[in-house]
Amino acid sequence: MQRLLPTMHQSKVKLIVTGDDFGYCPRRNRGIVECYLAGAVSNVSLLVNGYAASDAALLARRHNIPIGLHANLSEGSPVCEALRKSFSLLNEDGFFHGKMGIRKALADGLLEMSEVKEELCAQVDLFRQLTGHLPDHMDGHQHIHVLPDIRHVFASVLEKYGIRYTRVPVEQGLHGCGWIPASLMEFYLGVENDSLNSAEVFRSHGIRWPDIYIGLSTMGRNMSVSHIQRAIDSSIAALSTTGKAGIGDTEASRNSFPSHNQKDKAITIELMVHPGYPSVPPDGGCGDGPDDFSQSWERQHELQILMDPQLQSYYKKNGVQLCAFKDL
C-alpha cells in the first residue's frame, strides 16, 4: 500500500521539477519538452553555450515553459568572446577545464575570479538575448556555483541582476543511499560540503532556495519511482519532526524560502532531473561535442521514470503541487 506523506504535517507541498541541460542537443530539448507537456517537469534550466540553446529558447517561448539559467564554467566554450583564448578558465585545448578539472584549477589557485564574473555576466546577458527576459532562477552546471571563491562571485552576479533564486544541493539522507558507488558518493559529499559553506554567502546577498533539495540520489540509472518517493517522504518527515532537512537548521530553512512564516505554510522542494533522448554525435555539447553521459541510456531512463503513471499518482494522492521558481 502506498505510504502517504506525514499526516501530522498539514502544509502544502510545492515541487519544482527542474529539467537541467536544456539546450544541450536537439534530442535533449525534445525529451524535456515532452516531459513538460506531460506534466512531469515544471521548470527548465538553460545552458546558453549549448549546441541547441537557441532552439531551446524558442521551444520555451512556444510552450510557455518556465526557464532559468544553468551557468556553465566547466564544459565546452565560454560565451564571452574576450575569454575564448588562453585565459584561466580554459585548458590547453581552449575549452573549460571540465567537471573535475575546474575543481583542481581552483584548488591550485589558477582561476581568475574577474574572468569568472565576466563569463557569468556574459551568460546572463546571452540568456536575456535568447529569451527576452532575465532568468527566473540561476544554478550551476555540475554544481560549479557552490565552489569556494566562485560562490561569492556567483552570488554577486545574481544580486547585480536581481535574480532571486538558486539551488543549494544538500540532500537529506544522502549518506544512507547504498546504491550510489563510492567514487560518485565522494563527489556528492564534496558538493554537499561546498553547498553547506555557500548557504550563508547566498543568504547575505538576499538569494533564496527551496526548503528541500533532491537530485543526487536519483540521478541517471539511480532514478526510480521508489527512490523519488523515498527522498520526498524522508525529507518532509525530517522537516516536519525536527525542522531539519537539506541545509540543516530551521534558521536556514526560514531564510531560503521563508515558507514556514507564510499562512499556507508551504514546503518547497526542488527535484533536479536530466531527462531527454541520448545525444547523437556530432550534435550536442557546449562546443566540444556531447559527453558520454549524454549519449547513454540514462537520460531516456529518467524521462521514462518521470512520466511513469505511478509517480504522477503519488503526487496526486499526497497533494504534491508541481510548480516553477516563478510561482514561489
Side-chain angles (χ1 to χ4, degrees):
M1 184 174 181
Q2 191 177 64
R3 179 163 58 94
L4 301 184
L5 299 182
T7 56
M8 66 178 183
H9 201 302
Q10 301 303 315
S11 298
K12 296 178 182 178
V13 178
K14 294 184 176 181
L15 176 65
I16 304 165
V17 184
T18 302
D20 278 1
D21 301 345
F22 199 41
Y24 194 88
C25 75
R27 288 169 60 81
R28 180 74 46 77
N29 290 353
R30 178 162 63 90
I32 289 176
V33 170
E34 286 180 11
C35 281
Y36 177 76
L37 295 177
V41 160
S42 59
N43 193 79
V44 298
S45 198
L46 176 67
L47 284 165
V48 292
N49 72 334
Y51 176 91
S54 296
D55 174 62
L58 287 172
L59 289 168
R61 287 201 296 272
R62 180 181 305 159
H63 299 291
N64 197 29
I65 303 174
I67 188 168
L69 174 58
H70 204 42
N72 185 4
L73 300 174
S74 57
E75 183 178 358
S77 304
V79 304
C80 179
E81 291 187 10
L83 298 178
R84 291 176 184 170
K85 296 181 182 177
S86 252
F87 290 83
S88 73
L89 294 180
L90 307 183
N91 61 24
E92 60 185 13
D93 296 320
F95 298 114
F96 288 135
H97 294 287
K99 181 173 77 171
M100 302 311 297
I102 188 174
R103 288 164 166 83
K104 184 178 187 305
L106 183 63
D108 292 343
L110 300 178
L111 298 187
E112 293 289 342
M113 290 303 115
S114 61
E115 294 178 10
V116 169
K117 185 171 185 178
E118 190 173 3
E119 176 61 19
L120 290 177
C121 288
Q123 292 190 19
V124 175
D125 291 339
L126 180 54
F127 180 98
R128 180 158 49 183
Q129 178 183 329
L130 290 171
T131 67
H133 60 83
L134 286 169
D136 296 327
H137 63 97
M138 181 169 163
D139 54 48
H141 185 50
Q142 298 170 341
H143 310 294
I144 54 88
H145 65 302
V146 296
L147 290 174
D149 298 331
I150 291 177
R151 62 175 72 109
H152 295 276
V153 177
F154 180 84
S156 71
V157 170
L158 266 65
E159 186 174 27
K160 172 184 175 181
Y161 286 94
I163 302 168
R164 295 181 295 165
Y165 306 135
T166 192
R167 169 185 295 163
V168 178
V170 177
E171 185 170 343
Q172 172 73 24
L174 179 65
H175 297 242
C177 297
W179 57 85
I180 301 175
S183 59
L184 192 55
M185 179 65 81
E186 181 180 5
F187 175 73
Y188 287 168
L189 295 181
V191 170
E192 177 181 78
N193 184 64
D194 288 334
S195 299
L196 290 167
N197 290 326
S198 297
E200 184 55 41
V201 175
F202 294 161
R203 192 178 298 119
S204 70
H205 287 266
I207 301 165
R208 300 177 177 182
W209 56 92
D211 298 315
I212 293 167
Y213 165 83
I214 298 167
L216 299 178
S217 68
T218 57
M219 186 170 173
R221 68 187 64 201
N222 293 323
M223 182 177 284
S224 67
V225 172
S226 63
H227 283 173
I228 292 174
Q229 291 176 353
R230 177 209 61 84
I232 293 175
D233 288 352
S234 62
S235 296
I236 291 179
L239 190 63
S240 300
T241 58
T242 67
K244 295 181 180 180
I247 44 181
D249 60 53
T250 54
E251 180 184 1
S253 292
R254 288 195 300 269
N255 284 285
S256 54
F257 284 116
S259 52
H260 303 295
N261 294 329
Q262 297 172 353
K263 291 182 179 179
D264 65 359
K265 296 185 180 300
I267 294 174
T268 55
I269 304 173
E270 184 188 17
L271 172 60
M272 176 192 75
V273 299
H274 300 80
Y277 295 100
S279 300
V280 177
D283 296 345
C286 301
D288 54 350
D291 62 17
D292 291 341
F293 183 45
S294 72
Q295 297 176 58
S296 76
W297 57 270
E298 295 184 63
R299 302 289 188 163
Q300 190 166 347
H301 171 73
E302 288 200 21
L303 180 149
Q304 292 166 341
I305 295 297
L306 291 168
M307 296 178 71
D308 191 314
Q310 286 188 332
L311 185 58
Q312 302 303 312
S313 176
Y314 165 82
Y315 293 152
K316 185 176 181 179
K317 288 181 179 179
N318 287 279
V320 177
Q321 175 190 347
L322 267 63
C323 66
F325 279 97
K326 69 181 183 64
D327 301 320
L328 299 175

